[in-house]
Amino acid sequence: MLRFLTAGESHGPSLTAILEGMPAGLPLTSDDLQNDMRRRQKGYGSGGRMGIEKDRVRITGGVMGGHTTGGPIALHIENLDWGQATGWRDKDISPMTIPRPGHADLTGAIKYGYRELRLGLERASARETAARVAVGAVCRHLLAEFDIVIGSYVVSIGEVAAPLPPLAGDSAAQAFLDRCEAAEANEARCPDLDVAELMRQTIFEAMQAKDTLGGIFEVVALGVPPGLGSHVHWDRRLDARLLWAVSSIQAVKGVEIGPAFENARLRGTQVHDEIFVVEREGASTLARYTNRAGGFEGGITTGQPILVRGAMKPISTTLNPLRSVDLASGEPAATRYERSDFCAVPRAAVVGEAMVAFALTDSLIEKLGGDSLAEMHPRFDALRQGRLDELPMDGTQWRFGYE
Ligand code: EPS
């Protein structure tokens, strides 16, 4: 239903994104997008580039008079590095012929037959995530119309992990919001302030050692109604779509829904979220007191917080060289350093939010029909919430068969 494209090179004049399939009638101005753009630029472990860029989005299509029209939304972000005095505009380039292990340098050159590696790295660069965050910010704005909120925090950097106990039940949403708010206030984006300081130190030590670090971030979506996604076909499973969306972020190599890898070590009775009936607002309602499923059963949202974790490998550009081959001479050669980040996990968490926002918006539009916001609202209000009286279970005998 919803799709987006981005275009642009890391050191070219600008990035462009086109988001197609957003309903009409959503109030939107470019100011609404700047907060996420600013958040993506903040985080300890960045290289020099973030001191140059001041990402701002200009909307150049699909929004008129402060509201979406239903047409494709065009988003434009300048790369300030291009135009600055020492910038990239018409710069003479020494050819780059030694591929950095871990990057798209070698695979891109093999695939496209480049005569030098920069042609691949310019597009493979995570600079592109600025455009994704702009797209995600538009999606977040639509989700907010339905009180769906997305946040994130860093769970671990290298060997330093925050002890974050599982949250579930009625108080979980507020506790997640508190976590996200605490994370927002420090440069490691970790909700545990003592661990955040340790993360800062470990990033500093990696930088001193001319090395890089990866880590794990968690994205949380709150207020998502039950019933998004479907079990009926592989590509309609929303958990699978979220896994795809988050694993598409540069350097993210693993994604899990809830504590999936930990669950794999436990027994079934320890893992599954048991179901209870409680009286809520005068109605018998189904409730869970744990959320080890991370918000999904059978590819369908349960109505519990959605939890998606992304594991990011250490940045592949390291100040200490790695062994490689000079493709021009065929001789062994050490990699040469290109300005880069040392640890991008705090910033990747914000990109993770954007990808989750996109996948959830897509699914919400699919569920509600998406020509205009005015059409979506009453349909959203009519969604089943998991009350007993919404389920037509009459307990009558029937015969299994097709005729
Ligand atoms: C990146 C390398 C660095 C990062 C860049 C991603 O850029 P440069 O080579 O210009 O120093 O700063 O990320 C961004 C520019 C950004 O906006 O996040 C890479 O190789 O992926």
Side-chain angles (χ1 to χ4, degrees):
M1 306 294 292
L2 194 66
R3 57 201 168 121
F4 78 89
L5 290 172
T6 69
E9 281 69 45
S10 182
H11 302 101
S14 59
L15 297 169
T16 305
I18 294 186
L19 175 62
E20 210 274 320
M22 283 297 278
L26 175 70
L28 191 70
T29 67
S30 56
D31 283 346
D32 296 328
L33 312 179
Q34 310 311 344
N35 189 39
D36 279 348
M37 300 308 290
R38 186 188 53 74
R39 291 175 66 233
R40 193 200 69 96
Q41 287 207 268
K42 206 187 100 188
Y44 189 61
S46 296
R49 179 79 183 268
M50 285 307 97
I52 299 168
E53 301 300 337
K54 302 274 173 289
D55 291 338
R56 275 196 71 80
V57 188
R58 196 153 61 90
I59 301 174
T60 56
V63 178
M64 301 192 85
H67 288 79
T68 56
T69 64
I73 297 174
L75 305 165
H76 186 86
I77 304 154
E78 305 265 323
N79 288 334
L80 299 184
D81 202 11
W82 162 262
Q84 62 163 352
T86 54
W88 287 76
R89 183 178 195 151
D90 299 327
K91 185 172 169 169
D92 289 320
I93 296 291
S94 318
M96 183 177 164
T97 54
I98 306 168
R100 296 161 301 167
H103 266 284
D105 295 353
L106 179 57
T107 49
I110 293 172
K111 180 169 174 66
Y112 291 103
Y114 295 137
R115 68 189 155 71
E116 81 124 317
L117 302 172
R118 178 158 297 284
L119 298 171
L121 84 84
E122 282 292 329
R123 181 63 192 155
S125 162
R127 173 70 189 150
E128 187 254 0
T129 60
R132 296 197 199 202
V133 168
V135 165
V138 177
C139 294
R140 184 197 294 281
H141 217 61
L142 180 94
L143 294 173
E145 288 280 333
F146 302 96
D147 296 327
I148 298 172
V149 175
I150 296 176
S152 69
Y153 41 84
V154 171
V155 171
S156 66
I157 301 273
E159 296 283 352
V160 179
L164 297 171
L167 298 172
D170 289 345
S171 59
Q174 187 55 50
F176 274 122
L177 288 175
D178 293 345
R179 258 187 203 177
C180 295
E181 198 183 308
E184 217 56 38
N186 69 76
E187 282 199 315
R189 301 197 79 252
C190 177
D192 182 317
L193 297 189
D194 294 334
V195 178
E197 186 45 40
L198 292 176
M199 287 176 172
R200 240 186 98 92
Q201 271 170 31
T202 198
I203 296 171
F204 179 75
E205 282 160 20
M207 284 158 67
Q208 296 298 104
K210 301 183 175 180
D211 220 324
T212 59
L213 276 175
I216 298 173
F217 59 83
E218 180 160 280
V219 179
V220 183
L222 305 168
V224 180
L228 300 191
S230 176
H231 63 276
V232 303
H233 212 75
W234 69 272
D235 57 355
R236 294 181 59 192
R237 289 181 178 259
L238 181 54
D239 50 2
R241 290 189 186 175
L242 285 175
L243 292 169
W244 179 21
V246 175
S247 66
S248 76
I249 299 168
Q250 291 82 339
V252 171
K253 303 298 277 187
V255 190
E256 63 176 343
I257 304 279
F261 287 91
E262 189 186 309
N263 285 348
R265 294 197 290 270
L266 301 174
R267 294 190 173 181
T269 51
Q270 298 171 298
V271 166
H272 297 295
D273 304 312
E274 292 178 300
I275 306 169
F276 302 89
V277 182
V278 296
E279 291 303 311
R280 196 170 281 157
E281 293 165 15
S284 299
T285 303
L286 299 164
R288 318 281 185 121
Y289 299 115
T290 53
N291 182 20
R292 297 189 70 89
F296 285 96
E297 283 175 343
I300 304 172
T301 54
T302 60
Q304 294 235 73
I306 290 176
L307 306 173
V308 191
R309 285 187 171 196
M312 189 181 207
K313 67 179 180 177
I315 299 276
S316 333
T317 308
T318 53
L319 257 171
N320 266 334
L322 286 168
R323 285 175 291 181
S324 183
V325 172
D326 187 335
L327 302 179
S329 66
E331 296 297 320
T335 52
R336 300 219 178 101
Y337 187 64
E338 278 268 317
R339 180 187 61 190
S340 189
D341 298 331
F342 295 92
C343 177
V345 180
R347 300 171 56 216
V350 180
V351 183
E353 288 179 31
M355 294 309 293
V356 168
F358 169 76
L360 290 182
T361 304
D362 180 35
S363 175
L364 193 69
I365 292 173
E366 188 178 78
K367 176 78 176 166
L368 302 177
D371 286 337
S372 74
L373 199 58
E375 288 169 338
M376 292 174 78
H377 270 299
R379 294 177 190 162
F380 184 86
D381 295 340
L383 289 178
R384 279 186 283 276
Q385 295 298 326
R387 290 195 314 272
L388 268 187
D389 65 2
E390 294 167 325
L391 298 167
M393 303 272 163
D394 56 9
T396 52
Q397 207 60 35
W398 64 293
R399 174 170 298 157
F400 192 87
Y402 292 87
E403 297 291 337

